[in-house]
Every structure is written in C-alpha cells, then in structure tokens.
Amino acid sequence: MAQQQTQHTALNTKPDFSLFKSLLFTAAPIIFQNLTQSFINMLDTIMVGRLGEVEIAAVGLGNQIYFMMTMILFGIASGASIFIAQFWGQKDVAGIRKTLGLSLSAAGIVSVLFMAAALAVPETLISLYSADTAVIKEGGAYLRAVAVSYPITAVSFVYAQALRSTEKLQLPLAAAVASLAVNGLLNYLFIFGVGPFPELGVVGAAIGTVAARVIELALLLFVSYRRRYPAAGTCRELFSFNGYLIRRYIIIAVPVIINETLWGGGITMQNSIFAHAGTDAIAAFNITGTISQLTWVFFIGCGNAAAIVIGKRIGEHNDVLARKSANTFALYMPLFACAFALLLLPLSRLLPLLFKVSPHIIEQAAAMLYVLMVSYPFKAFNMCMVVGVCRSGGDTVFAAVCDVAFMWLIALPLGALAALYLHAPAWIVYCCVICDDWIKAALGLWRLRSGKWLHHVTEPAQ
C-alpha cells in the first residue's frame, strides 16, 4: 500500500522545470559529443558525395556494417551503464570498475568478430544490401580498409559510456572533437589527393576514420588514468567480476543487447529495402539520415542524460524524485522535438549545396525530411522512455519489446511491400518504415503512468 501511495504521489506531481534544467546541464556535453560524432559521419558522406552517387551509396552501405556493430556495442555499454549509474549513486567505485571490465570483455569479442568478417568477405557483406556491382566493389574496398578500427571503437565506446554514467562528461566530448579534427583533415588529404597525398577516394575516407578512432581512444585512456577517474581501474579491478554480477548483468543487460541488435538489424533492413528499390533511393535515404543526425543528437543526448539522472536517483534510493524526473523529462522532450523538427526545413533547402547528386535524388531526400518532421515528437518521447526511463530503472525487457516488436512486425513488412511490390515513391516507403513510432509512443505512455518501470538492479545478493 505504501509503495502504491508513493507511485500515485509521484505520478501526480507537476513537472518541475528545474529538473529539466538539470537534465540539460548533464545532456549538453553528451549532445555536443554526439553532434561531433555525427559531423564525423557527415564529413565522410559529404566529402565522398562530391565523387558521385556510387561512392555515396558505397560508403553509406559500408557504414551499415559499422552501424550494426555499434548497435550491439551500444546495447553492451547501455546495459552496463544501468549498473554504473546506480553504483555511482551509491559511490561504489569497485562495482563501477567490475561492470566496466565485464562490458569491455563482451565488446571486445563482438568487435573482433565484426572485424574478421569485414576483412575476409567485405564484398559479400555489401551485396546483402545492393545488387549494383559498382557499389559492391567500392563498398568492399571501404569496408576492408575501415575494419581495423572496430576493436578500437569498441573500447572507446564502452569507456565513453562509463565516463558519462559517472558524470565525467567533458572528456568524451574533448576526445570526440579531436577525433573530428583528425578525420576532417585526413579525409580532405586522402579522398581528393591533395599535394603529395594519393587520391584514394572511399579508401581515403576509411583511413581518416581509422586515425580518428585511434586519437579518440588514446585521449580517453590517457586522461582517465592520469586523473584517476572512477572508470580508471587496474586490470585486476576491471576483470575481478564474480558470478553474481555476471548473472545480474545477463538478466538486465542481455535484453538491451538484443534490443539494440534487433533495432540495428531493423535499420540495416531499412537500408536494404531502399537499396533494392534503387541506387537513387538509397542515396536519398542516406542523405536524409545524415541531415537528420544534426538535430537528432539533441534527443540522443537527452535520453542518455535522463538515464544518468534517473539512475543516480534510484541508486540513492530516492524513488519519488526518480519518478518525478521521469515524468518531467517525458513531457518536455516531445515539446522540444516540435521546435527542433522545424530546423529540418531550412536544412532541406541546403541539400543541393551539400551533395553533388541529381535533382531527383535531392527531391526525394527533401520529401523524406518533411515526413521526419511530423514524426519527431513521437520519436523523441520514445527515446526518452526506452533509453532514459525504462533502462535506467532496469525495465529492459519491456523496453526491448516496445522498441523492436512493432518495427519488425509492422513497419519493415509495410516498407518492403511498398518498395518491392508496389514500387511506391521513396517518401511513401519512408512513411512505412517509421510508422512504428506512433504505436511505441502510446505503449510507452502507458508504461510511464503504471510506474512499473522502476527497479533496483544493484542490490547485493542475499
């Protein structure tokens, strides 16, 4: 009865804007880091896009393998961050380091497997998305060159997430900025062959990416260990996790990993649908994704920041404030999404200046951006609920089902039907592949009001 009264009180508390200011303070470095990462991807797409449709499609599809890996890594790191944020609320540094070591082990295995596949059969992987022989050849060359960065990216990914979960937010941002600078410079030199540097095209973009990832990881590790941050553990501290922690991690984190893997697989299926619809369609879809990242990073940052804020409150056993924070964030995120969606309108006007592709492709990409504008409030709420609220509260099974079931059961089949059988215009196909956001938002609102998302995942074994 007492628990029900607590839930009822929390759910009827008016949203507190001071909580949202706290969220923005935590989110700002994460937003800028994600924006920097988006610029890294955008640099590759824009610079390679100056070479033509085949090259932009090749790099876009090559990056789908990387994207699939990062989705699994995000699941591993996000699952760990649920524990790390609550351990941080308890000031349990030993628990933080053991959890980090466990996630490093899992991420290392995944990244090595992806690297091996990309080095061994790159053209086969690209052919899963496109039948265009020119795209397969260029994409395979890009994939083979960039694959060596995968294990480096995995370690950076996990450390950056652990640093954010312990409120060491400036370091991942600084490392990302340095990475952007290196990537931009080397892209310019090696893609186009400036001065004594060879003109390598898509392989030049891969070289820039590899160098950028090395710099990013070096900065993260050097500063973390020099300043003895909570994540800077010795090998003994990192890899001394016991069977109980492994079991708890599996129960809580494996649904997140499955969630991100299936969601990432769904995104790659979207790319496959557009690629089989034609090179023009996949080029327009890649352009749309590149532009939308410039505004969507705000909500990615807020979702991760909400998980940090709420998770810390749960770790402090302040459940009332955790619920109040969740309700406040869930209200304001869609409202801010309406404003950010309007930014896509002027960005759509800049497409001819940014991409050297045919006017028909620009028109398709602009139409997709208009569809995305309508969807933004629903997408923002879903980001807040899945990444920020449910995962911070250990409600990972519900989050996984909500996030991927409707994508695979409704959106993707509709998109495939529209593209492959009805031969609908690209923007209609795009409407189909993102229609699951509306259903997920309704289900997420029900879960938020029920209060059943909050769990204490770091309680010691009895």
Side-chain angles (χ1 to χ4, degrees), residues 230-294:
T234 64
C235 287
R236 181 184 296 273
E237 290 172 321
L238 291 172
F239 300 106
S240 62
F241 43 82
N242 55 29
Y244 175 72
L245 181 60
I246 294 174
R247 289 192 299 273
R248 292 292 294 163
Y249 182 85
I250 290 173
I251 292 170
I252 299 298
V254 166
V256 181
I257 298 170
I258 295 173
N259 180 175
E260 293 300 333
T261 302
L262 290 177
W263 189 84
I267 297 300
T268 61
M269 283 297 297
Q270 290 178 3
N271 278 268
S272 180
I273 289 169
F274 279 98
H276 283 90
T279 299
D280 286 0
I282 185 60
F285 184 64
N286 286 333
I287 289 171
T288 302
T290 300
I291 295 298
S292 70
Q293 286 176 1
L294 294 177

Side-chain angles (χ1 to χ4, degrees), residues 58-75:
V59 171
L61 294 179
N63 278 330
Q64 286 307 301
I65 308 302
Y66 171 80
F67 173 77
M68 191 66 207
M69 181 190 72
T70 58
M71 286 298 95
I72 300 174
L73 295 179
F74 184 70

Side-chain angles (χ1 to χ4, degrees), residues 49-97:
R50 306 301 296 177
L51 302 176
E53 286 89 346
V54 169
E55 286 80 5
I56 195 174
V59 171
L61 294 179
N63 278 330
Q64 286 307 301
I65 308 302
Y66 171 80
F67 173 77
M68 191 66 207
M69 181 190 72
T70 58
M71 286 298 95
I72 300 174
L73 295 179
F74 184 70
I76 292 169
S78 293
S81 70
I82 297 169
F83 290 85
I84 291 173
Q86 293 195 24
F87 278 133
W88 182 237
Q90 300 166 9
K91 302 303 178 185
D92 184 350
V93 175
I96 291 170
R97 291 176 177 173

Side-chain angles (χ1 to χ4, degrees), residues 9 40-41 47 58 62 109 130 165 365 379 447:
T9 301
I40 292 174
N41 295 332
M47 289 185 172
I109 294 171
S130 176
S165 297
K379 292 175 72 69
R447 191 65 169 184

Side-chain angles (χ1 to χ4, degrees), residues 175-200:
V177 170
S179 177
L180 171 64
V182 171
N183 192 70
L185 175 61
L186 294 184
N187 271 4
Y188 176 67
L189 296 177
F190 284 105
I191 291 175
F192 305 110
V194 178
F197 296 92
E199 182 179 347
L200 299 177

Side-chain angles (χ1 to χ4, degrees), residues 358-432:
S358 67
H360 176 63
I361 294 175
I362 295 297
E363 290 174 5
Q364 291 184 68
M368 291 183 196
L369 286 175
Y370 301 148
V371 173
L372 188 61
M373 288 174 61
V374 177
S375 227
Y376 250 36
F378 301 96
K379 292 175 72 69
F381 178 81
N382 293 333
M383 171 64 71
C384 179
M385 277 303 302
V386 171
V387 175
V389 176
C390 290
R391 289 186 183 171
S392 67
D395 193 24
T396 55
V397 173
F398 171 82
V401 172
C402 180
D403 203 27
V404 301
F406 301 109
M407 169 188 261
W408 281 93
L409 296 177
I410 297 176
L412 291 175
L414 282 178
L417 176 66
L420 305 181
Y421 296 98
L422 301 180
H423 305 290
W427 72 270
I428 295 290
V429 178
Y430 190 68
C431 284
C432 293

